[in-house]
Amino acid sequence: MKILFLGDLVGRSGRDAVTAALPGLRTRLALDLVIVNAENASHGFGLAPEMARALFEAGADVITLGNHAWDRREILSYITETPRLLRPLNFPPGTPGAGAVIVEIPGNRRALVLNAMGRLFMDALDCPFRASAVELSKHKLGANLHAIVIDFHAEASSEKMAYAHSFDGQVSFVVGTHTHCPSADHQILPGGTAFQSDAGMCGDYDSVIGMAKQNAAARFWRKLPGERLAPAEGEATICGVFVETDDATGLAHRIFPVRMGGRLSPAMPDF
Ligand SMILES: [Fe+2]
Ligand SMILES: [Fe+2]
């Protein structure tokens, strides 16, 4: 199965780049499954229902969220009627929406997509390790599922690596989100799980993690409440990770970083 995961879309620049490029990428890379983290799509904070609809229309199969999940209140009702829009599964019981979904893929295949959120330097949620283990205990990779992909939304690389190693061999692909900087540690772990500790963002990299640099920098210079941060509006670099899995075992055999457009040096699968 050919899977593309795109990191946090930031603002209009990120949304426009992804909706424009996704139909072409689906064809060019013969993608079976596309997952996009869109927690920062709405002016850097949250996701509006019409933006989610546009991403689904452009070719996203599943949209994931993170700590900015509820910044746009309209999403609270939309998520309850949209199973392919996920929020981290370790929010407290009773939180609207779900943290996992099974997607049917052409060729009689099924993939489980899961979204979890770390706790180191983040809000104190339920334990993402235990919550993920409970969800994964309901499924078996290679039996009734051809792929399992997890977006682990977390700040600390240590927590992301600990998480990925914990589920190595049980899932196809663990990708980190939230830092908005693509990491260069993409690899297939010893048990067969593809891993990259952060996918990076789809946004303007002439910025401070996607936000206009002047106000963002001022916050570090002076500890005063500054003006509200706004997304940088230059051309986005689309950042993500491409993974190819074996349909029989569900494990990964190739992983490539993807970077397209904007300021970062380009990267594309070389096949
Ligand atoms: Fe983010
Ligand atoms: Fe985040």
Side-chain angles (χ1 to χ4, degrees):
M1 197 177 292
K2 295 184 173 68
I3 302 164
L4 178 68
F5 182 93
L6 298 181
D8 312 28
L9 260 75
V10 181
R12 176 179 299 280
S13 153
R15 293 197 316 269
D16 286 354
V18 170
T19 48
L22 209 43
L25 281 172
R26 270 208 93 116
T27 315
R28 177 173 170 193
L29 298 174
L31 299 171
D32 298 300
L33 177 62
V34 174
I35 305 156
V36 179
N37 184 301
E39 68 149 6
N40 308 107
S42 175
H43 216 63
F45 301 92
L47 171 70
E50 68 269 20
M51 296 170 186
R53 281 187 209 104
L55 285 169
F56 285 131
E57 218 160 283
D61 296 299
V62 177
I63 298 174
T64 54
L65 294 167
N67 54 306
H68 289 291
W70 314 125
D71 289 357
R72 288 292 301 262
R73 294 300 174 92
E74 310 93 302
I75 212 72
L76 285 163
S77 59
Y78 179 73
I79 199 170
T80 60
E81 65 208 35
T82 313
R84 288 181 182 223
L85 171 61
L86 301 179
R87 45 75 172 169
L89 84 168
N90 52 320
F91 273 118
T95 300
V101 67
I102 290 177
V103 183
E104 305 285 339
I105 289 164
N108 254 330
R109 295 172 296 171
R110 300 163 84 233
L112 173 72
V113 182
L114 200 148
N115 186 194
M117 187 149 75
R119 296 192 292 186
L120 194 49
F121 314 123
M122 308 277 289
D123 287 345
L125 295 184
D126 293 350
C127 176
F129 290 76
R130 288 185 176 80
S132 301
V134 167
E135 181 61 37
L136 292 171
S137 71
K138 301 176 198 162
H139 309 280
K140 182 145 174 49
L141 187 63
N144 60 340
L145 286 173
H146 298 86
I148 301 177
V149 182
I150 304 182
D151 170 0
F152 187 50
H153 195 79
E155 180 73 36
S157 315
S158 59
E159 193 176 15
K160 297 184 200 186
M161 289 182 192
Y163 182 95
H165 283 296
S166 298
F167 299 109
D168 182 20
Q170 262 190 80
V171 307
S172 314
F173 178 24
V174 175
V175 61
T177 54
H178 178 71
T179 70
H180 294 196
C181 294
S183 61
D185 59 344
H186 50 282
Q187 60 175 308
I188 312 280
L189 299 177
T193 297
F195 173 63
Q196 181 169 318
S197 63
D198 208 291
M201 67 169 170
C202 297
D204 175 8
Y205 277 82
D206 182 18
S207 69
V208 175
I209 63 168
M211 307 310 269
K213 55 194 178 184
Q214 212 156 5
N215 286 345
R219 291 191 172 197
F220 289 93
W221 280 89
R222 305 177 312 150
K223 290 295 174 191
L224 291 171
E227 278 178 55
R228 192 176 146 85
L229 295 175
E233 290 174 337
E235 188 194 340
T237 302
I238 292 175
C239 281
V241 186
F242 172 90
V243 167
E244 194 172 58
T245 59
D246 179 336
D247 280 343
T249 62
L251 296 172
H253 54 86
R254 297 205 284 186
I255 179 167
F256 296 96
V258 171
R259 294 186 303 272
M260 235 183 113
R263 304 180 61 81
L264 298 195
S265 64
M268 198 49 74
D270 57 4
F271 52 82

